[in-house]
Amino acid sequence: MSINSIRTCITCRKQSSPTSLLRVVCIDGALVLDNEKSLPGRGAWVHQSCLATAISRGAFKYALKLTEQPNELDAKDMKLK
């Protein structure tokens, strides 16, 4: 990832560097936090402070272009980390 990369938070739509955002991917229908920001596939970027709002809005389904709502249980666990 280049130094000048900019990503947009799926909740607040503010642009930030990838280092200040969490990357979330969907693997087998479950949301997984991509700590290394290197997992394959489409990722959704979200601020830690925006994560609860993203889950309550179901924003990951649209950001990841899924046909069904992903299992967000894993995403709720991310808040505790």
Side-chain angles (χ1 to χ4, degrees):
M1 201 167 302
S2 82
I3 295 172
N4 298 324
S5 295
I6 297 292
R7 299 291 183 259
T8 302
C9 175
I10 63 170
T11 304
C12 69
R13 309 301 301 166
K14 291 182 181 173
Q15 294 184 337
S16 301
S17 69
T19 56
S20 62
L21 296 168
L22 301 173
R23 183 172 188 260
V24 179
V25 297
C26 184
I27 298 175
D28 295 331
L31 296 178
V32 176
L33 179 62
D34 182 6
N35 289 323
E36 300 296 323
K37 298 174 177 46
S38 62
L39 290 175
R42 181 177 292 275
W45 298 83
V46 63
H47 289 111
Q48 177 75 41
S49 60
C50 296
L51 185 60
T53 304
I55 292 169
S56 68
R57 289 182 183 172
F60 290 104
K61 176 184 175 186
Y62 302 104
L64 297 171
K65 298 188 178 189
L66 303 172
T67 55
E68 297 179 13
Q69 193 68 28
N71 180 358
E72 294 177 337
L73 182 61
D74 295 333
K76 290 176 184 173
D77 291 341
M78 287 181 227
K79 291 189 295 187
L80 302 176
K81 295 178 182 177

mmCIF file of all heavy atoms in Angstrom, residues 6-59:
data_model
loop_
_atom_site.group_PDB
_atom_site.id
_atom_site.type_symbol
_atom_site.label_atom_id
_atom_site.label_comp_id
_atom_site.label_asym_id
_atom_site.label_seq_id
_atom_site.Cartn_x
_atom_site.Cartn_y
_atom_site.Cartn_z
ATOM 1 N N ILE A 6 -5.487 6.599 0.346
ATOM 2 C CA ILE A 6 -6.589 7.189 1.096
ATOM 3 C C ILE A 6 -7.775 6.237 0.991
ATOM 4 O O ILE A 6 -8.080 5.728 -0.087
ATOM 5 C CB ILE A 6 -6.980 8.574 0.517
ATOM 6 C CG1 ILE A 6 -5.830 9.555 0.632
ATOM 7 C CG2 ILE A 6 -8.219 9.115 1.210
ATOM 8 C CD1 ILE A 6 -5.472 9.962 2.040
ATOM 9 N N ARG A 7 -8.440 5.983 2.097
ATOM 10 C CA ARG A 7 -9.629 5.137 2.123
ATOM 11 C C ARG A 7 -10.776 5.923 2.759
ATOM 12 O O ARG A 7 -10.556 6.859 3.503
ATOM 13 C CB ARG A 7 -9.377 3.856 2.930
ATOM 14 C CG ARG A 7 -8.260 2.995 2.369
ATOM 15 C CD ARG A 7 -8.669 2.374 1.049
ATOM 16 N NE ARG A 7 -7.653 1.493 0.506
ATOM 17 C CZ ARG A 7 -6.805 1.816 -0.471
ATOM 18 N NH1 ARG A 7 -6.852 3.027 -0.992
ATOM 19 N NH2 ARG A 7 -5.927 0.960 -0.916
ATOM 20 N N THR A 8 -11.982 5.493 2.446
ATOM 21 C CA THR A 8 -13.166 6.171 2.957
ATOM 22 C C THR A 8 -13.895 5.265 3.937
ATOM 23 O O THR A 8 -14.152 4.096 3.636
ATOM 24 C CB THR A 8 -14.108 6.535 1.783
ATOM 25 O OG1 THR A 8 -13.387 7.350 0.859
ATOM 26 C CG2 THR A 8 -15.333 7.278 2.276
ATOM 27 N N CYS A 9 -14.239 5.800 5.085
ATOM 28 C CA CYS A 9 -14.993 5.061 6.102
ATOM 29 C C CYS A 9 -16.407 4.816 5.573
ATOM 30 O O CYS A 9 -17.054 5.742 5.066
ATOM 31 C CB CYS A 9 -15.035 5.865 7.398
ATOM 32 S SG CYS A 9 -16.069 5.107 8.678
ATOM 33 N N ILE A 10 -16.885 3.572 5.680
ATOM 34 C CA ILE A 10 -18.208 3.238 5.144
ATOM 35 C C ILE A 10 -19.333 3.862 5.951
ATOM 36 O O ILE A 10 -20.458 3.912 5.481
ATOM 37 C CB ILE A 10 -18.421 1.711 5.052
ATOM 38 C CG1 ILE A 10 -18.386 1.072 6.429
ATOM 39 C CG2 ILE A 10 -17.414 1.091 4.111
ATOM 40 C CD1 ILE A 10 -18.822 -0.378 6.436
ATOM 41 N N THR A 11 -19.058 4.349 7.135
ATOM 42 C CA THR A 11 -20.101 4.937 7.972
ATOM 43 C C THR A 11 -20.139 6.451 7.855
ATOM 44 O O THR A 11 -21.159 7.022 7.481
ATOM 45 C CB THR A 11 -19.895 4.534 9.438
ATOM 46 O OG1 THR A 11 -19.850 3.119 9.527
ATOM 47 C CG2 THR A 11 -21.012 5.062 10.305
ATOM 48 N N CYS A 12 -19.055 7.115 8.155
ATOM 49 C CA CYS A 12 -19.064 8.584 8.187
ATOM 50 C C CYS A 12 -18.641 9.213 6.857
ATOM 51 O O CYS A 12 -18.776 10.420 6.682
ATOM 52 C CB CYS A 12 -18.183 9.099 9.320
ATOM 53 S SG CYS A 12 -16.411 8.817 9.073
ATOM 54 N N ARG A 13 -18.112 8.397 5.941
ATOM 55 C CA ARG A 13 -17.680 8.828 4.613
ATOM 56 C C ARG A 13 -16.476 9.772 4.646
ATOM 57 O O ARG A 13 -16.132 10.382 3.644
ATOM 58 C CB ARG A 13 -18.819 9.475 3.814
ATOM 59 C CG ARG A 13 -20.095 8.657 3.762
ATOM 60 C CD ARG A 13 -19.953 7.294 3.158
ATOM 61 N NE ARG A 13 -19.460 7.355 1.786
ATOM 62 C CZ ARG A 13 -18.996 6.325 1.108
ATOM 63 N NH1 ARG A 13 -18.950 5.146 1.677
ATOM 64 N NH2 ARG A 13 -18.580 6.443 -0.112
ATOM 65 N N LYS A 14 -15.815 9.914 5.793
ATOM 66 C CA LYS A 14 -14.615 10.741 5.865
ATOM 67 C C LYS A 14 -13.431 9.930 5.349
ATOM 68 O O LYS A 14 -13.332 8.733 5.604
ATOM 69 C CB LYS A 14 -14.353 11.198 7.297
ATOM 70 C CG LYS A 14 -15.378 12.181 7.791
ATOM 71 C CD LYS A 14 -15.061 12.634 9.195
ATOM 72 C CE LYS A 14 -16.136 13.605 9.668
ATOM 73 N NZ LYS A 14 -15.971 13.949 11.066
ATOM 74 N N GLN A 15 -12.537 10.601 4.648
ATOM 75 C CA GLN A 15 -11.365 9.938 4.115
ATOM 76 C C GLN A 15 -10.226 9.995 5.121
ATOM 77 O O GLN A 15 -10.020 11.021 5.772
ATOM 78 C CB GLN A 15 -10.947 10.590 2.801
ATOM 79 C CG GLN A 15 -11.987 10.395 1.708
ATOM 80 C CD GLN A 15 -11.535 10.963 0.387
ATOM 81 O OE1 GLN A 15 -10.693 11.838 0.329
ATOM 82 N NE2 GLN A 15 -12.105 10.438 -0.688
ATOM 83 N N SER A 16 -9.501 8.881 5.212
ATOM 84 C CA SER A 16 -8.390 8.770 6.160
ATOM 85 C C SER A 16 -7.339 7.840 5.573
ATOM 86 O O SER A 16 -7.599 7.122 4.608
ATOM 87 C CB SER A 16 -8.875 8.195 7.493
ATOM 88 O OG SER A 16 -9.863 8.986 8.076
ATOM 89 N N SER A 17 -6.192 7.849 6.191
ATOM 90 C CA SER A 17 -5.150 6.911 5.772
ATOM 91 C C SER A 17 -5.536 5.506 6.246
ATOM 92 O O SER A 17 -6.233 5.358 7.257
ATOM 93 C CB SER A 17 -3.807 7.312 6.357
ATOM 94 O OG SER A 17 -3.806 7.107 7.743
ATOM 95 N N PRO A 18 -5.099 4.483 5.547
ATOM 96 C CA PRO A 18 -5.434 3.113 5.945
ATOM 97 C C PRO A 18 -4.970 2.761 7.360
ATOM 98 O O PRO A 18 -5.558 1.905 8.005
ATOM 99 C CB PRO A 18 -4.712 2.258 4.904
ATOM 100 C CG PRO A 18 -4.562 3.140 3.731
ATOM 101 C CD PRO A 18 -4.381 4.527 4.278
ATOM 102 N N THR A 19 -3.948 3.430 7.846
ATOM 103 C CA THR A 19 -3.457 3.108 9.185
ATOM 104 C C THR A 19 -4.427 3.540 10.281
ATOM 105 O O THR A 19 -4.377 3.014 11.378
ATOM 106 C CB THR A 19 -2.092 3.775 9.438
ATOM 107 O OG1 THR A 19 -2.219 5.178 9.237
ATOM 108 C CG2 THR A 19 -1.041 3.209 8.501
ATOM 109 N N SER A 20 -5.308 4.477 9.986
ATOM 110 C CA SER A 20 -6.249 4.947 11.005
ATOM 111 C C SER A 20 -7.619 4.290 10.879
ATOM 112 O O SER A 20 -8.536 4.630 11.627
ATOM 113 C CB SER A 20 -6.390 6.468 10.941
ATOM 114 O OG SER A 20 -6.920 6.853 9.689
ATOM 115 N N LEU A 21 -7.758 3.358 9.934
ATOM 116 C CA LEU A 21 -9.036 2.678 9.715
ATOM 117 C C LEU A 21 -8.873 1.179 9.929
ATOM 118 O O LEU A 21 -7.781 0.637 9.810
ATOM 119 C CB LEU A 21 -9.528 2.922 8.287
ATOM 120 C CG LEU A 21 -9.874 4.356 7.907
ATOM 121 C CD1 LEU A 21 -10.044 4.464 6.403
ATOM 122 C CD2 LEU A 21 -11.129 4.800 8.601
ATOM 123 N N LEU A 22 -9.985 0.516 10.229
ATOM 124 C CA LEU A 22 -10.017 -0.941 10.293
ATOM 125 C C LEU A 22 -10.457 -1.461 8.933
ATOM 126 O O LEU A 22 -11.334 -0.881 8.299
ATOM 127 C CB LEU A 22 -11.031 -1.413 11.332
ATOM 128 C CG LEU A 22 -10.837 -0.959 12.763
ATOM 129 C CD1 LEU A 22 -12.038 -1.375 13.602
ATOM 130 C CD2 LEU A 22 -9.573 -1.540 13.329
ATOM 131 N N ARG A 23 -9.846 -2.539 8.484
ATOM 132 C CA ARG A 23 -10.295 -3.186 7.252
ATOM 133 C C ARG A 23 -11.037 -4.444 7.635
ATOM 134 O O ARG A 23 -10.553 -5.250 8.428
ATOM 135 C CB ARG A 23 -9.124 -3.534 6.333
ATOM 136 C CG ARG A 23 -9.573 -4.145 5.025
ATOM 137 C CD ARG A 23 -8.409 -4.302 4.050
ATOM 138 N NE ARG A 23 -8.887 -4.704 2.745
ATOM 139 C CZ ARG A 23 -8.860 -5.969 2.284
ATOM 140 N NH1 ARG A 23 -8.329 -6.914 3.023
ATOM 141 N NH2 ARG A 23 -9.322 -6.253 1.087
ATOM 142 N N VAL A 24 -12.227 -4.590 7.085
ATOM 143 C CA VAL A 24 -13.070 -5.745 7.364
ATOM 144 C C VAL A 24 -13.359 -6.449 6.044
ATOM 145 O O VAL A 24 -13.695 -5.798 5.053
ATOM 146 C CB VAL A 24 -14.386 -5.303 8.042
ATOM 147 C CG1 VAL A 24 -15.279 -6.489 8.311
ATOM 148 C CG2 VAL A 24 -14.085 -4.546 9.338
ATOM 149 N N VAL A 25 -13.226 -7.760 6.029
ATOM 150 C CA VAL A 25 -13.543 -8.558 4.849
ATOM 151 C C VAL A 25 -14.580 -9.601 5.244
ATOM 152 O O VAL A 25 -14.786 -9.881 6.438
ATOM 153 C CB VAL A 25 -12.284 -9.242 4.263
ATOM 154 C CG1 VAL A 25 -11.287 -8.215 3.777
ATOM 155 C CG2 VAL A 25 -11.655 -10.176 5.250
ATOM 156 N N CYS A 26 -15.221 -10.158 4.254
ATOM 157 C CA CYS A 26 -16.212 -11.209 4.493
ATOM 158 C C CYS A 26 -15.632 -12.528 3.990
ATOM 159 O O CYS A 26 -15.289 -12.654 2.810
ATOM 160 C CB CYS A 26 -17.512 -10.884 3.767
ATOM 161 S SG CYS A 26 -18.818 -12.071 4.120
ATOM 162 N N ILE A 27 -15.498 -13.484 4.905
ATOM 163 C CA ILE A 27 -15.001 -14.817 4.548
ATOM 164 C C ILE A 27 -16.060 -15.832 4.944
ATOM 165 O O ILE A 27 -16.429 -15.919 6.122
ATOM 166 C CB ILE A 27 -13.663 -15.116 5.248
ATOM 167 C CG1 ILE A 27 -12.601 -14.117 4.795
ATOM 168 C CG2 ILE A 27 -13.219 -16.551 4.967
ATOM 169 C CD1 ILE A 27 -11.273 -14.244 5.505
ATOM 170 N N ASP A 28 -16.563 -16.542 3.978
ATOM 171 C CA ASP A 28 -17.602 -17.565 4.200
ATOM 172 C C ASP A 28 -18.791 -17.007 4.973
ATOM 173 O O ASP A 28 -19.319 -17.645 5.885
ATOM 174 C CB ASP A 28 -17.009 -18.775 4.931
ATOM 175 C CG ASP A 28 -15.964 -19.495 4.104
ATOM 176 O OD1 ASP A 28 -16.072 -19.460 2.859
ATOM 177 O OD2 ASP A 28 -15.036 -20.075 4.701
ATOM 178 N N GLY A 29 -19.197 -15.805 4.638
ATOM 179 C CA GLY A 29 -20.386 -15.211 5.235
ATOM 180 C C GLY A 29 -20.179 -14.556 6.585
ATOM 181 O O GLY A 29 -21.133 -14.072 7.188
ATOM 182 N N ALA A 30 -18.961 -14.536 7.065
ATOM 183 C CA ALA A 30 -18.680 -13.921 8.365
ATOM 184 C C ALA A 30 -17.716 -12.757 8.192
ATOM 185 O O ALA A 30 -16.769 -12.832 7.395
ATOM 186 C CB ALA A 30 -18.071 -14.947 9.315
ATOM 187 N N LEU A 31 -17.953 -11.697 8.912
ATOM 188 C CA LEU A 31 -17.059 -10.546 8.866
ATOM 189 C C LEU A 31 -15.811 -10.842 9.683
ATOM 190 O O LEU A 31 -15.898 -11.346 10.792
ATOM 191 C CB LEU A 31 -17.752 -9.306 9.419
ATOM 192 C CG LEU A 31 -18.958 -8.828 8.612
ATOM 193 C CD1 LEU A 31 -19.578 -7.620 9.292
ATOM 194 C CD2 LEU A 31 -18.576 -8.505 7.195
ATOM 195 N N VAL A 32 -14.672 -10.518 9.107
ATOM 196 C CA VAL A 32 -13.386 -10.791 9.751
ATOM 197 C C VAL A 32 -12.566 -9.512 9.725
ATOM 198 O O VAL A 32 -12.462 -8.851 8.692
ATOM 199 C CB VAL A 32 -12.629 -11.912 9.017
ATOM 200 C CG1 VAL A 32 -11.267 -12.134 9.621
ATOM 201 C CG2 VAL A 32 -13.441 -13.189 8.999
ATOM 202 N N LEU A 33 -11.988 -9.169 10.848
ATOM 203 C CA LEU A 33 -11.102 -8.016 10.920
ATOM 204 C C LEU A 33 -9.768 -8.377 10.288
ATOM 205 O O LEU A 33 -9.152 -9.374 10.645
ATOM 206 C CB LEU A 33 -10.894 -7.592 12.370
ATOM 207 C CG LEU A 33 -9.975 -6.406 12.604
ATOM 208 C CD1 LEU A 33 -10.543 -5.153 11.945
ATOM 209 C CD2 LEU A 33 -9.778 -6.190 14.085
ATOM 210 N N ASP A 34 -9.340 -7.570 9.324
ATOM 211 C CA ASP A 34 -8.087 -7.811 8.609
ATOM 212 C C ASP A 34 -6.995 -6.945 9.226
ATOM 213 O O ASP A 34 -6.715 -5.845 8.778
ATOM 214 C CB ASP A 34 -8.288 -7.479 7.123
ATOM 215 C CG ASP A 34 -7.059 -7.751 6.290
ATOM 216 O OD1 ASP A 34 -6.082 -8.309 6.827
ATOM 217 O OD2 ASP A 34 -7.084 -7.405 5.101
ATOM 218 N N ASN A 35 -6.390 -7.464 10.281
ATOM 219 C CA ASN A 35 -5.375 -6.691 11.003
ATOM 220 C C ASN A 35 -4.174 -6.332 10.137
ATOM 221 O O ASN A 35 -3.634 -5.238 10.250
ATOM 222 C CB ASN A 35 -4.893 -7.458 12.233
ATOM 223 C CG ASN A 35 -5.937 -7.503 13.307
ATOM 224 O OD1 ASN A 35 -6.668 -6.539 13.502
ATOM 225 N ND2 ASN A 35 -6.026 -8.625 13.987
ATOM 226 N N GLU A 36 -3.779 -7.250 9.281
ATOM 227 C CA GLU A 36 -2.606 -7.012 8.432
ATOM 228 C C GLU A 36 -2.969 -6.253 7.162
ATOM 229 O O GLU A 36 -2.089 -5.896 6.386
ATOM 230 C CB GLU A 36 -1.954 -8.346 8.069
ATOM 231 C CG GLU A 36 -1.487 -9.156 9.266
ATOM 232 C CD GLU A 36 -0.388 -8.454 10.041
ATOM 233 O OE1 GLU A 36 0.466 -7.814 9.401
ATOM 234 O OE2 GLU A 36 -0.398 -8.531 11.273
ATOM 235 N N LYS A 37 -4.258 -6.049 6.956
ATOM 236 C CA LYS A 37 -4.766 -5.354 5.758
ATOM 237 C C LYS A 37 -4.247 -6.014 4.489
ATOM 238 O O LYS A 37 -3.857 -5.349 3.533
ATOM 239 C CB LYS A 37 -4.416 -3.872 5.798
ATOM 240 C CG LYS A 37 -5.039 -3.164 6.989
ATOM 241 C CD LYS A 37 -4.603 -1.752 7.118
ATOM 242 C CE LYS A 37 -5.258 -0.989 8.236
ATOM 243 N NZ LYS A 37 -5.380 -1.558 9.513
ATOM 244 N N SER A 38 -4.255 -7.347 4.480
ATOM 245 C CA SER A 38 -3.706 -8.066 3.339
ATOM 246 C C SER A 38 -4.568 -9.241 2.899
ATOM 247 O O SER A 38 -4.178 -9.958 1.977
ATOM 248 C CB SER A 38 -2.309 -8.566 3.685
ATOM 249 O OG SER A 38 -2.369 -9.459 4.776
ATOM 250 N N LEU A 39 -5.709 -9.471 3.540
ATOM 251 C CA LEU A 39 -6.551 -10.584 3.130
ATOM 252 C C LEU A 39 -7.115 -10.317 1.743
ATOM 253 O O LEU A 39 -7.369 -9.164 1.383
ATOM 254 C CB LEU A 39 -7.690 -10.795 4.131
ATOM 255 C CG LEU A 39 -7.298 -11.339 5.491
ATOM 256 C CD1 LEU A 39 -8.502 -11.380 6.419
ATOM 257 C CD2 LEU A 39 -6.679 -12.720 5.366
ATOM 258 N N PRO A 40 -7.315 -11.373 0.957
ATOM 259 C CA PRO A 40 -7.829 -11.183 -0.395
ATOM 260 C C PRO A 40 -9.304 -10.799 -0.385
ATOM 261 O O PRO A 40 -10.019 -11.020 0.591
ATOM 262 C CB PRO A 40 -7.625 -12.558 -1.033
ATOM 263 C CG PRO A 40 -7.645 -13.513 0.102
ATOM 264 C CD PRO A 40 -7.048 -12.782 1.268
ATOM 265 N N GLY A 41 -9.707 -10.225 -1.485
ATOM 266 C CA GLY A 41 -11.122 -9.884 -1.653
ATOM 267 C C GLY A 41 -11.426 -8.444 -1.303
ATOM 268 O O GLY A 41 -10.566 -7.694 -0.850
ATOM 269 N N ARG A 42 -12.675 -8.087 -1.549
ATOM 270 C CA ARG A 42 -13.125 -6.725 -1.279
ATOM 271 C C ARG A 42 -13.108 -6.470 0.225
ATOM 272 O O ARG A 42 -13.542 -7.302 1.006
ATOM 273 C CB ARG A 42 -14.538 -6.527 -1.825
ATOM 274 C CG ARG A 42 -15.097 -5.137 -1.610
ATOM 275 C CD ARG A 42 -16.458 -5.002 -2.244
ATOM 276 N NE ARG A 42 -16.388 -5.052 -3.694
ATOM 277 C CZ ARG A 42 -16.130 -4.003 -4.471
ATOM 278 N NH1 ARG A 42 -15.923 -2.825 -3.938
ATOM 279 N NH2 ARG A 42 -16.088 -4.141 -5.774
ATOM 280 N N GLY A 43 -12.634 -5.334 0.593
ATOM 281 C CA GLY A 43 -12.610 -4.957 1.990
ATOM 282 C C GLY A 43 -13.415 -3.701 2.227
ATOM 283 O O GLY A 43 -13.612 -2.895 1.328
ATOM 284 N N ALA A 44 -13.922 -3.567 3.431
ATOM 285 C CA ALA A 44 -14.639 -2.358 3.834
ATOM 286 C C ALA A 44 -13.802 -1.675 4.901
ATOM 287 O O ALA A 44 -13.275 -2.325 5.800
ATOM 288 C CB ALA A 44 -16.019 -2.706 4.370
ATOM 289 N N TRP A 45 -13.687 -0.364 4.797
ATOM 290 C CA TRP A 45 -12.862 0.390 5.724
ATOM 291 C C TRP A 45 -13.759 1.171 6.656
ATOM 292 O O TRP A 45 -14.742 1.785 6.220
ATOM 293 C CB TRP A 45 -11.947 1.338 4.952
ATOM 294 C CG TRP A 45 -10.993 0.604 4.058
ATOM 295 C CD1 TRP A 45 -11.237 0.130 2.800
ATOM 296 C CD2 TRP A 45 -9.651 0.231 4.369
ATOM 297 N NE1 TRP A 45 -10.120 -0.513 2.318
ATOM 298 C CE2 TRP A 45 -9.139 -0.462 3.240
ATOM 299 C CE3 TRP A 45 -8.833 0.410 5.475
ATOM 300 C CZ2 TRP A 45 -7.843 -0.968 3.213
ATOM 301 C CZ3 TRP A 45 -7.544 -0.086 5.430
ATOM 302 C CH2 TRP A 45 -7.059 -0.768 4.322
ATOM 303 N N VAL A 46 -13.447 1.134 7.931
ATOM 304 C CA VAL A 46 -14.295 1.799 8.920
ATOM 305 C C VAL A 46 -13.434 2.290 10.084
ATOM 306 O O VAL A 46 -12.460 1.637 10.463
ATOM 307 C CB VAL A 46 -15.418 0.827 9.394
ATOM 308 C CG1 VAL A 46 -14.857 -0.386 10.088
ATOM 309 C CG2 VAL A 46 -16.431 1.532 10.263
ATOM 310 N N HIS A 47 -13.791 3.459 10.607
ATOM 311 C CA HIS A 47 -13.127 3.947 11.818
ATOM 312 C C HIS A 47 -13.556 3.074 12.997
ATOM 313 O O HIS A 47 -14.704 2.610 13.034
ATOM 314 C CB HIS A 47 -13.531 5.399 12.126
ATOM 315 C CG HIS A 47 -12.968 6.389 11.163
ATOM 316 N ND1 HIS A 47 -13.749 7.078 10.272
ATOM 317 C CD2 HIS A 47 -11.693 6.812 10.965
ATOM 318 C CE1 HIS A 47 -12.981 7.896 9.556
ATOM 319 N NE2 HIS A 47 -11.728 7.753 9.951
ATOM 320 N N GLN A 48 -12.691 2.895 13.953
ATOM 321 C CA GLN A 48 -13.037 2.135 15.162
ATOM 322 C C GLN A 48 -14.266 2.748 15.823
ATOM 323 O O GLN A 48 -15.168 2.037 16.258
ATOM 324 C CB GLN A 48 -11.857 2.129 16.135
ATOM 325 C CG GLN A 48 -12.139 1.428 17.452
ATOM 326 C CD GLN A 48 -12.144 -0.081 17.322
ATOM 327 O OE1 GLN A 48 -11.308 -0.634 16.620
ATOM 328 N NE2 GLN A 48 -13.070 -0.724 17.983
ATOM 329 N N SER A 49 -14.329 4.068 15.853
ATOM 330 C CA SER A 49 -15.458 4.751 16.500
ATOM 331 C C SER A 49 -16.754 4.625 15.702
ATOM 332 O O SER A 49 -17.831 4.861 16.241
ATOM 333 C CB SER A 49 -15.117 6.221 16.720
ATOM 334 O OG SER A 49 -14.845 6.845 15.475
ATOM 335 N N CYS A 50 -16.663 4.287 14.438
ATOM 336 C CA CYS A 50 -17.840 4.155 13.577
ATOM 337 C C CYS A 50 -18.318 2.709 13.459
ATOM 338 O O CYS A 50 -19.340 2.455 12.812
ATOM 339 C CB CYS A 50 -17.533 4.684 12.185
ATOM 340 S SG CYS A 50 -17.153 6.438 12.108
ATOM 341 N N LEU A 51 -17.609 1.773 14.045
ATOM 342 C CA LEU A 51 -17.917 0.356 13.859
ATOM 343 C C LEU A 51 -19.317 -0.008 14.352
ATOM 344 O O LEU A 51 -20.064 -0.699 13.654
ATOM 345 C CB LEU A 51 -16.855 -0.495 14.563
ATOM 346 C CG LEU A 51 -16.959 -1.999 14.367
ATOM 347 C CD1 LEU A 51 -16.854 -2.355 12.887
ATOM 348 C CD2 LEU A 51 -15.858 -2.696 15.144
ATOM 349 N N ALA A 52 -19.700 0.468 15.514
ATOM 350 C CA ALA A 52 -21.028 0.135 16.057
ATOM 351 C C ALA A 52 -22.138 0.654 15.146
ATOM 352 O O ALA A 52 -23.141 -0.027 14.918
ATOM 353 C CB ALA A 52 -21.175 0.696 17.465
ATOM 354 N N THR A 53 -21.945 1.840 14.619
ATOM 355 C CA THR A 53 -22.948 2.414 13.708
ATOM 356 C C THR A 53 -23.022 1.609 12.419
ATOM 357 O O THR A 53 -24.111 1.359 11.897
ATOM 358 C CB THR A 53 -22.601 3.879 13.401
ATOM 359 O OG1 THR A 53 -22.489 4.590 14.627
ATOM 360 C CG2 THR A 53 -23.659 4.528 12.534
ATOM 361 N N ALA A 54 -21.878 1.192 11.907
ATOM 362 C CA ALA A 54 -21.850 0.379 10.679
ATOM 363 C C ALA A 54 -22.604 -0.921 10.880
ATOM 364 O O ALA A 54 -23.363 -1.351 10.003
ATOM 365 C CB ALA A 54 -20.409 0.105 10.260
ATOM 366 N N ILE A 55 -22.425 -1.532 12.039
ATOM 367 C CA ILE A 55 -23.118 -2.796 12.323
ATOM 368 C C ILE A 55 -24.620 -2.552 12.438
ATOM 369 O O ILE A 55 -25.419 -3.277 11.858
ATOM 370 C CB ILE A 55 -22.561 -3.434 13.609
ATOM 371 C CG1 ILE A 55 -21.126 -3.891 13.368
ATOM 372 C CG2 ILE A 55 -23.430 -4.602 14.048
ATOM 373 C CD1 ILE A 55 -20.391 -4.282 14.630
ATOM 374 N N SER A 56 -25.011 -1.508 13.160
ATOM 375 C CA SER A 56 -26.445 -1.256 13.340
ATOM 376 C C SER A 56 -27.133 -0.884 12.036
ATOM 377 O O SER A 56 -28.309 -1.175 11.843
ATOM 378 C CB SER A 56 -26.666 -0.175 14.399
ATOM 379 O OG SER A 56 -26.201 1.069 13.931
ATOM 380 N N ARG A 57 -26.434 -0.251 11.133
ATOM 381 C CA ARG A 57 -27.011 0.125 9.833
ATOM 382 C C ARG A 57 -26.955 -1.001 8.807
ATOM 383 O O ARG A 57 -27.561 -0.901 7.752
ATOM 384 C CB ARG A 57 -26.248 1.312 9.243
ATOM 385 C CG ARG A 57 -26.477 2.610 9.934
ATOM 386 C CD ARG A 57 -25.702 3.697 9.214
ATOM 387 N NE ARG A 57 -25.826 4.970 9.894
ATOM 388 C CZ ARG A 57 -25.121 6.046 9.567
ATOM 389 N NH1 ARG A 57 -24.258 5.978 8.565
ATOM 390 N NH2 ARG A 57 -25.286 7.159 10.218
ATOM 391 N N GLY A 58 -26.204 -2.037 9.108
ATOM 392 C CA GLY A 58 -26.021 -3.106 8.123
ATOM 393 C C GLY A 58 -25.180 -2.645 6.946
ATOM 394 O O GLY A 58 -25.354 -3.106 5.818
ATOM 395 N N ALA A 59 -24.259 -1.741 7.204
ATOM 396 C CA ALA A 59 -23.471 -1.112 6.142
ATOM 397 C C ALA A 59 -22.510 -2.075 5.455
ATOM 398 O O ALA A 59 -22.141 -1.848 4.301
ATOM 399 C CB ALA A 59 -22.693 0.068 6.712
#
